[in-house]
């Protein structure tokens, strides 16, 4: 079912190919590979979109780590757009229903997400079916992994980069937690003005362009997502409010891992404070965007992220 849905989605999406505005030539679409990766007792759905060799801008691959409540579907448009712009990019369906240890879910809510990132990073570079079915993947150095975490996804990206620096090329955080926000006082100050901004910057544009599909089926899915393990939901919320990744990001530089922060100008949850520029190699803010910009404005976000990834400051030894 997931594969059919994704292929139908690709058929109506611009990154599925098209005409080059400058040359007038047809553009080849990304090749999308699907698989499942074992994470504990779970099978995690994973998709990897690979650009045509003629369009490749990064000789590695990127992994989108979704934010709080994120689904695989919330990352697919960004994944496909990144691939259309020349970066092989993967996304996955986060695990939620691990009831084997509810207390552990509360104390270490991010452990399953870190394990998922580790499993995917081990699987794809050694996946014989991927190499067989997607020949163009052979030209990509699958040992080079760029993390593209959004919001809470900064947790597993940071943990993996710290634990496996030899497998990490860079971390490009998209409004990630742990860089000075969110805090409870910030949320209390920002909520009155932030709620209307969120409606106009995220909700309404998302409904209009079809990136947010508000229907009963999706509402039930979201409800089940959080209800399956309320301990993890509470733990994740607490971890977002208490995280401080700034020392870790400074330390990553000493291991040769480049870091960047892409903020959103009208983000009411994660303040794109210019002080973050002191903690990362590249800092940039996309104006007139809200916290859900990766879902609502995937083309704009992908264009910015690719520019950041190819910035000389992210390539320097």
């Amino acid at each position: 079912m997931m594969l059919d849905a994704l292929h139908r989605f690709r058929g109506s999406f611009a990154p599925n190919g098209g005409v080059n505005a400058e040359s007038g030539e047809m553009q080849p679409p990304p090749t999308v590979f699907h698989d499942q990766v074992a994470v504990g007792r779970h099978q995690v759905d994973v998709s990897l979109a690979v650009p045509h060799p003629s369009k490749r801008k990064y000789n590695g691959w990127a992994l989108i780590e979704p934010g709080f409540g994120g689904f695989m579907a919330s990352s697919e448009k960004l994944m496909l757009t990144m691939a259309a712009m020349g970066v092989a990019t993967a996304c996955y369906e986060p695990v939620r229903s691990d009831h084997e240890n509810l207390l552990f879910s509360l104390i270490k809510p991010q452990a399953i997400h870190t394990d998922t990132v580790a499993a995917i990073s081990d699987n794809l570079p050694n996946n014989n079916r991927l190499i067989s079915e997607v020949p163009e993947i052979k030209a990509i150095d699958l040992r080079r992994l760029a993390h593209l975490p959004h919001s809470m996804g900064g947790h597993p990206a940071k943990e993996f980069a710290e634990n496996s620096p030899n497998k990490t090329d860079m971390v490009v955080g998209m409004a990630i937690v742990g860089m000075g926000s969110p805090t409870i006082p910030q949320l209390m100050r920002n909520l009155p003005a932030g709620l209307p901004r969120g409606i106009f910057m995220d909700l309404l544009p998302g409904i209009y362009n079809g990136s947010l599909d508000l229907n009963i089926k999706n509402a039930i899915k979201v409800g089940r997502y959080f209800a399956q393990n309320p301990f993890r939901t509470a733990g994740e919320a607490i971890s977002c409010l208490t995280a401080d990744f700034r020392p870790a990001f400074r330390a990553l530089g000493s291991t040769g891992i480049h870091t960047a922060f892409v903020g959103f100008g009208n983000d009411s949850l994660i303040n794109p404070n210019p002080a973050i520029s002191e903690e990362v190699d590249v800092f940039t803010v996309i104006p007139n965007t809200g916290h859900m910009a990766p879902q609502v404005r995937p083309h704009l976000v992908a264009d910015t992220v690719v520019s950041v990834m190819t910035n000389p400051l992210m390539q320097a030894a």
Side-chain angles (χ1 to χ4, degrees), residues 36-46 92-95 98 100 111-121 123:
Q36 289 188 322
V37 173
V39 181
R41 63 184 181 86
H42 305 280
Q43 291 295 319
V44 174
D45 292 323
V46 180
Y92 60 92
E93 186 74 55
V95 174
D98 56 326
E100 55 267 26
I112 191 68
H113 303 311
T114 303
D115 290 346
T116 300
V117 171
I120 294 171
S121 71
N123 177 278

Side-chain angles (χ1 to χ4, degrees), residues 123-245:
N123 177 278
L124 290 184
N126 302 292
N127 192 308
N128 291 329
R129 190 166 70 83
L130 169 62
I131 297 171
S132 172
E133 295 181 9
V134 188
E136 54 265 44
I137 201 70
K138 296 176 183 177
I140 293 175
D141 186 354
L142 292 174
R143 296 168 299 178
R144 296 185 67 191
L145 173 56
H147 295 274
L148 307 181
H150 175 223
S151 192
M152 188 190 76
H155 276 278
K158 188 269 295 185
E159 291 290 327
F160 183 87
E162 285 184 311
N163 297 333
S164 303
N166 60 317
K167 296 181 179 180
T168 302
D169 191 27
M170 64 179 70
V171 179
V172 181
M174 300 177 287
I176 57 171
V177 300
M179 305 302 283
S181 61
T183 64
I184 292 177
Q186 285 176 344
L187 292 177
M188 292 179 66
R189 287 196 306 268
N190 295 343
L191 189 60
L195 187 59
R197 279 205 307 269
I199 292 174
F200 283 101
M201 290 292 170
D202 291 326
L203 184 61
L204 294 181
I207 295 173
Y208 178 77
N209 66 25
S211 58
L212 298 179
D213 187 5
L214 300 182
N215 57 50
I216 297 298
K217 182 179 179 181
N218 282 348
I220 293 174
K221 185 178 181 181
V222 171
R224 288 184 59 193
Y225 184 86
F226 289 114
Q228 280 176 339
N229 193 333
F231 287 85
R232 178 175 304 289
T233 299
E236 288 178 347
I238 293 170
S239 71
C240 288
L241 293 170
T242 58
D244 187 357
F245 299 159

